[in-house]
Amino acid sequence: MWYHKPVINEELLQSLPNLKIVASSGVGIDHLDLNLLSSYGVKVSNTPFVVSTDTADLGMALMLASSRRLVEGSYQMAVSPDTEYFPADWLGAEVSGATLGIVGMGTIGYKVAERAKAFEMKILYHNRNQRNKEEESAVGAIYCKKIDDLLQQSDFVLLSVNLTPQTHKLIGKRELELMKPTATLINISRGLVVDQDALVEALQNKVIKAAALDVTYPEPLPRDHPLLKLKNIIVTPHIGSATKKTRRLMMENMTESIQAGLTGLPIPNEVL
């Protein structure tokens, strides 16, 4: 499976009685009905580890681009045919020394923390389970048992969670209102982790300062979607893992899982 295609539904499973394994690219498996696949005896694998480095890099890129208003400055000033001079009051926000709140401290979230440490950021995180003391100490991360505490203190809130029933619209109107009016929301997980209607309202009313999204719902957004009309947002086309090396490794991982599944060997990165 690549880009969630083909759709694995009962009709397809009934038409493929000898199907043994579904190898899905990327980390997320929210597009798969695991109970349905299990009922047909079909194994499932994904590629969770090879995407983590590039996705963490993109998370940092979005944070830097948003804080320093790079996209806005490029098109509205540096490239615009109407520009006659560069204003001296074109100001962004500092990343170095700021507080980063990471929601979801899995492999990707932890790699973001490693990068943020180099920027001398104060790192808070909220996760289902607390990391061990050695891992926390290595990046200087502080655990927030309650997500509310993280939201209230962070200058940047970065979402790096799997989409599950528990994380569906995890960030909504209430959560956005808990954030600082100077804060930026960064989403590198799944679009449905954020209530997009609430985000539009928060950005329009300056409840938060800005947002930077690599994921939306749907993808791509309709061209008339209000998110695309805002100046205080960056939207990228779900390119967290989009480097040549990583995409090749993803395909190699999928191929290894398929070969193992067809020969009855243990399946690397087996989900089901």
Side-chain angles (χ1 to χ4, degrees):
M1 295 186 64
W2 202 268
Y3 283 97
H4 301 179
K5 296 175 183 177
V7 176
I8 307 297
N9 53 26
E10 189 150 18
E11 181 182 3
L12 180 65
L13 291 172
Q14 288 176 349
S15 71
L16 300 171
N18 297 319
L19 181 65
K20 295 186 180 299
I21 181 170
V22 170
S24 183
S25 63
V27 180
I29 53 172
D30 49 278
H31 55 289
L32 295 172
D33 186 335
L34 297 183
N35 291 329
L36 176 64
L37 286 159
S38 179
S39 71
Y40 279 84
V42 176
K43 299 291 186 180
V44 176
S45 71
N46 62 350
T47 62
F49 301 110
V50 296
V51 305
S52 58
T53 295
D54 284 343
T55 305
D57 286 350
L58 185 71
M60 290 300 298
L62 288 172
M63 190 189 318
L64 290 164
S66 180
S67 66
R68 300 303 299 269
R69 304 169 68 185
L70 295 188
V71 175
E72 191 181 357
S74 174
Y75 285 98
Q76 291 188 27
M77 291 191 186
V79 177
S80 173
D82 300 323
T83 297
E84 296 180 1
Y85 63 91
F86 293 155
D89 60 351
W90 182 262
L91 304 176
E94 300 82 3
V95 168
S96 296
T99 299
L100 170 63
I102 301 173
V103 180
M105 189 68 112
T107 306
I108 295 171
Y110 194 80
K111 284 182 177 288
V112 171
E114 290 176 326
R115 287 150 177 74
K117 181 185 178 184
F119 283 82
E120 301 176 343
M121 301 186 81
K122 178 182 179 181
I123 301 168
L124 309 176
Y125 78 99
H126 173 74
N127 202 45
R128 286 178 301 176
N129 301 305
Q130 185 172 357
R131 288 264 185 169
N132 64 49
K133 295 300 180 183
E134 291 76 14
E135 292 170 330
E136 288 182 340
S137 178
V139 294
I142 300 170
Y143 179 61
C144 294
K145 187 174 183 180
K146 296 181 180 179
I147 191 173
D148 290 8
D149 295 335
L150 178 149
L151 296 173
Q152 291 170 334
Q153 298 179 63
S154 299
D155 299 305
F156 300 92
V157 174
L158 183 139
L159 307 177
S160 180
V161 296
N162 292 324
L163 178 60
T164 67
Q166 291 72 38
T167 61
H168 181 266
K169 294 189 178 180
L170 177 68
I171 303 298
K173 180 179 174 64
R174 187 189 76 86
E175 289 74 23
L176 291 163
E177 289 177 347
L178 286 174
M179 292 172 62
K180 297 179 181 180
T182 55
T184 297
L185 179 70
I186 303 158
N187 189 4
I188 55 172
S189 54
R190 285 290 186 268
L192 280 171
V193 171
V194 176
D195 182 336
Q196 286 185 166
D197 292 337
L199 179 59
V200 169
E201 183 178 341
L203 291 170
Q204 288 174 335
N205 297 329
K206 299 183 180 180
V207 173
I208 65 172
K209 180 180 179 181
L213 314 174
D214 187 44
V215 288
T216 59
Y217 185 82
E219 293 177 350
L221 288 172
R223 299 298 86 184
D224 61 348
H225 195 283
L227 274 180
L228 302 181
K229 303 180 186 302
L230 298 172
K231 292 183 179 180
N232 54 342
I233 192 169
I234 295 174
V235 182
T236 52
H238 203 151
I239 53 174
S241 66
T243 66
K244 293 179 180 179
K245 180 180 177 181
T246 292
R247 288 290 170 85
R248 181 179 179 84
L249 289 173
M250 289 167 69
M251 187 59 72
E252 289 177 355
N253 277 199
M254 293 167 69
T255 302
E256 290 170 4
S257 293
I258 291 167
Q259 290 175 332
L262 294 178
T263 55
L265 296 173
I267 299 171
N269 302 318
E270 181 176 354
V271 175
L272 175 66

